[in-house]
Amino acid sequence: MIGVFDSGLGGLSVWKEIIKLLPDVSLFYVSDNAWCPYGPRPAEEVVERSRVISRFLIGKGCRLIVVACNTATAAAIDTLRQNFPIPFVGMEPAVKPAALHSRTGVVGVLATQGTFGGRLYRETSQRFAAHVQVLERVGTGLVELIEQGLTDTPQTETLLRTYIEPMMEAGADHLVLGCTHYPFLIPSIEKITCGRLTIVDPAPAVAQQVFLQWAEAVQAADLRQEAAPTYWFYASGSEDELQARFQVLAPSSLPSTFFSGFCFP
C-alpha cells in the first residue's frame, strides 16, 4: 500500500494522478487539516507532524509514502528519509521546466513561504533558473479558501489577481504552482490569464516518480498488486469536511465504495 499526506486537501491533486498510473494499488490518504495550513508554521513543527504521520502510515502497512505537500517536502523530506526504512517521494519544485521553456525569460512561482525557504527550491532555482528572472509570490490566503471549497468565487479570483496580474505585467510566460492545493484553482487562473501564461503543475511528474519507485519496490519484494484497490482517508480535524470536499474534488470514475474515514490521532 502507498501512503499520501498533506496539510489538507491539496495532496488530492497528486493522489488523483497516482491512481491513474497505479489503478490496482490501495492508498491511504492523511489530511492533517487540524494543522492546516503548514506554510506559515515553523519548520520544526512541520517536521514533527510529518514524523507523526509517517509513523502512522507505516503502522498501517504502507511501503512507500508520498509527501504530497511542498512545504512538508521542503522542511521534512531529508529527515524522513534518514529516520524511516521505506522510500519517500516528495514534491519537486517545477522551476526547471518553466525556466527551460520560457520564451520571455521571466517565470512566476506561486508558493508558500515554507516552500520558498526550502533547500530543494533554492538549489533547483540556482541550478536551472539562473538564466531567467523568477518572480516569487507567497499565495497567502489561497489554501484556506480551497479548504473551504471556495475555488471558483469572486473572492478567490480577486485574491488570485493580486498575485498573478503583476507577474504578467512583468512579462512572465510561465506560472509554476508551488503548492499542491493550487491545481484546484487552475480554472480560475485560466480565466485570469486568458492563455497568456503556461501553467506548470508538478503533480503528474511526481506521480510518475511514484510509479517508478513502486515498480522497484514491488519487484524487490515480489509483491502482487491487488485486483480491487481500497482507498482510506484520515483527517486530524473534521472528517466530515474532508469527505464533503473529496466528493467535489475527486474524479467521477472512482468505484462507488471508496471512502473509509477515521479520525487521525
Side-chain angles (χ1 to χ4, degrees):
M1 294 175 285
I2 294 175
V4 182
F5 78 86
D6 179 43
S7 65
L9 299 169
L12 290 175
S13 64
V14 181
W15 181 91
K16 288 167 62 176
E17 298 297 327
I18 294 172
I19 65 172
K20 291 177 184 177
L21 299 180
L22 293 169
D24 299 324
V25 177
S26 294
L27 277 79
F28 283 83
Y29 185 93
V30 170
S31 165
D32 199 15
N33 54 356
W35 297 76
C36 185
Y38 279 174
R41 292 187 178 277
E44 296 79 8
E45 197 168 68
V46 176
V47 170
E48 181 55 28
R49 292 305 300 164
S50 299
R51 282 200 194 102
V52 169
I53 294 168
S54 296
R55 283 194 294 267
F56 174 76
L57 289 171
I58 291 172
K60 292 294 181 182
C62 294
R63 294 174 178 264
L64 183 151
I65 293 177
V66 184
V67 186
C69 173
N70 294 75
T71 300
T73 298
I77 194 73
D78 293 335
T79 298
L80 296 176
R81 286 171 174 164
Q82 291 166 6
N83 286 273
F84 296 102
I86 65 169
F88 284 83
V89 176
M91 299 304 300
E92 292 291 333
V95 176
K96 177 182 177 180
L100 291 176
H101 294 99
S102 175
R103 297 180 303 276
T104 64
V106 183
V107 300
V109 182
L110 190 62
T112 67
Q113 189 60 54
T115 297
F116 285 132
R119 175 185 61 81
L120 283 173
Y121 176 80
R122 293 196 307 271
E123 291 180 353
T124 301
S125 298
Q126 292 168 2
R127 183 177 180 185
F128 298 108
H131 64 290
V132 301
Q133 181 183 5
V134 180
L135 306 176
E136 300 174 352
R137 296 291 183 273
V138 177
T140 304
L142 293 176
V143 169
E144 291 87 340
L145 290 171
I146 295 165
E147 286 290 316
Q148 297 173 56
L150 304 176
T151 57
D152 186 20
T153 66
Q155 178 187 3
T156 302
E157 181 180 335
T158 298
L159 185 57
L160 275 171
R161 286 186 181 278
T162 66
Y163 300 134
I164 296 173
E165 288 182 343
M167 294 181 183
M168 292 192 294
E169 292 169 2
D173 62 353
H174 282 70
L175 175 63
V176 178
L177 303 182
C179 172
T180 54
H181 280 78
Y182 297 167
F184 295 117
L185 297 174
I186 287 177
S188 295
I189 294 172
E190 290 176 336
K191 179 180 178 181
I192 295 169
T193 61
C194 298
R196 292 169 57 190
L197 286 178
T198 298
I199 301 170
V200 184
D201 175 10
V206 172
Q208 182 63 37
Q209 183 61 27
V210 173
F211 177 85
L212 295 174
Q213 292 265 9
W214 184 248
E216 290 182 11
V218 168
Q219 185 175 18
D222 192 24
L223 300 174
R224 294 184 180 180
Q225 294 188 5
E226 300 176 34
T230 304
Y231 304 128
W232 288 273
F233 295 85
Y234 298 81
S236 59
S238 170
E239 178 187 326
D240 292 340
E241 181 178 322
L242 172 63
Q243 186 168 6
R245 297 283 77 77
F246 181 84
Q247 300 289 353
V248 175
L249 299 174
S252 58
S253 58
L254 279 178
S256 57
T257 303
F258 60 86
F259 192 93
S260 285
F262 298 91
C263 290
F264 170 72

